[in-house]
Amino acid sequence: MFLCCWLALVALIPMTLSINPGVKVRLTGKGLEYGRQLGMASIQQKLKTIKVPDISGKERVSPIGKVKYSLSNMQIVDVGLPKSALDLVPGTGVKLSIGNAFLRMHGNWRVKYLRIIKDHGSFDLNVNDLTITTTIAIKSDATGRPVVSSVNCAATVGSAKIKFHGGASWLYNLFKKFVDKAIRNALQKQMCPLVANAVSDLNPQLKTLNVLAKVDQYAEIEYSMVSSPTVSNSCIDFSLKGEFYNIGKHQEPPFSPAAFSLPPQINNMLYIGVSAFTINSAAFVYNTVGALSLYITDDMIPQASPIRLNTRTFGAFIPQVAKRFPGLMMKLLVKTVKNPVVTFEPNNVTVQATGTVTAYAIQPNTTLSPLFVLNLETSVSARVFVSGMRLAGAVTLNKMALTLRTSYVGEFQVRSLDNIFQVVLKVVVIPQLNVQLAKGYPLPTLGKMKLVNTELQVLKDYMLIGTDVQFTG
């Protein structure tokens, strides 16, 4: 898998629209070195597939005159790539250099001279001081996924030394230098096309990049590039849109991503910066589609709780509820009325949510009679973590404030309901929310990519994930 691990991360053609990214990714020198190791293993296997065509020719060899020769059935038996480098060219891209490589080949030879005399045998060939240098060009296809190709390739074969077996040694020693040159030229012509094919073979794998990743039945997240990759001497920084959308309907939120910069980091292969914009775009999507609402019934309250969702419990605080709707069970509808707002401060993630709580009495015929509507202001703290290839979270309640919005049963003291709704939020709403948050959403990924040694820091306006990477399969 020649360098595909990393090329996909820098391969998207920038969009013409210049906007701040929601997600930034930094590929460090350590990450490039891992990519080089994977790439050399792949290119070594590719070199073993070289098919050298049969070679034939005529040479005048003193003192016997013209000699016709042919080399056939040539096969690669060994390949060595002891020296290679993958270098960043600031402002340009990636340069691959292979040096001091060698090939070992085996084949058959045949000669004819003096018109009637024939000889044949086998040979072994050592090709040394093979060098290849190429630049990898990165473009985008019609779907916004990366396409790679090899450009500006140069290859040289330093020496090709042949050793014949069988036949008359005095004979083939006479034309050996001609054969060495013919084989060297034949191999040299194949090097760059071979590298070009190896790079092109990446494209099916690069199509696995999750440019548009489904999160759940409501949302998907877009990871297309919003500006050109920035190549420096030490790393590649690139900017992804990092925005949630309702599936099938890409509606922009009423806010835009703010600029942010990743701090210098060198310990891990990869760094992913996720801005508050990305998380807030998720809140916008879920609020817009009405997913941030929950009906709560008594069977969702733990049996051990003294607080029950019925008119008797609420009647202790609002007597007219028990008087007008005696002995009935109740149902609550909790929903947001504005987009929740997520803020990142060092080591702290806070979510402010504004919603309503509507209380209903459940009549014997199952119809719902509205009792009251409360305004609900909540603040929760979030713990964010990486789970597999997904970013997940969990929240705990900080504080809650209730005010009366509408009453269908007359005036009452809302503060008397604080304890009830504290329990409802802590034992029903927050656990239900955490079940969903634990599922997380997908991070940018490629093929069978696995994050290891992962650490997450919450910084001002964004969170930073530092990680190493492994590719399997």
Side-chain angles (χ1 to χ4, degrees), residues 295 328-331 360-370:
Y295 275 105
L328 296 183
M329 302 303 296
M330 291 175 57
K331 176 182 283 190
Y360 300 94
I362 305 174
Q363 298 289 354
N365 63 358
T366 72
T367 60
L368 300 179
S369 297

Side-chain angles (χ1 to χ4, degrees), residues 3 16 22 119 136 185 218 222 236 256 262 282 352 356 374 418 423 442 457:
L3 304 181
T16 55
D119 208 347
I136 298 172
N185 290 339
Y218 303 108
E222 184 176 337
I236 301 175
S256 301
L262 300 185
Q352 303 287 340
T356 59
L374 303 178
D418 280 359
V423 171
Q457 305 174 61

Side-chain angles (χ1 to χ4, degrees), residues 267-268 271-272 386 452-457 464-468:
N267 295 328
N268 291 110
Y271 289 89
I272 305 173
V386 176
V452 294
N453 303 322
T454 302
E455 294 182 353
L456 188 148
Q457 305 174 61
L464 182 65
I465 301 168
T467 184
D468 292 334

Side-chain angles (χ1 to χ4, degrees), residues 350-400:
T350 303
V351 185
Q352 303 287 340
T354 299
T356 59
V357 180
T358 304
Y360 300 94
I362 305 174
Q363 298 289 354
N365 63 358
T366 72
T367 60
L368 300 179
S369 297
L371 303 176
F372 53 82
V373 182
L374 303 178
N375 296 312
L376 174 64
E377 298 283 343
T378 59
S379 172
V380 300
S381 292
R383 180 177 64 90
V384 186
F385 54 93
V386 176
S387 177
M389 287 302 304
R390 301 174 79 88
L391 186 64
V395 298
T396 55
L397 182 65
N398 286 337
K399 58 184 179 180
M400 175 201 78

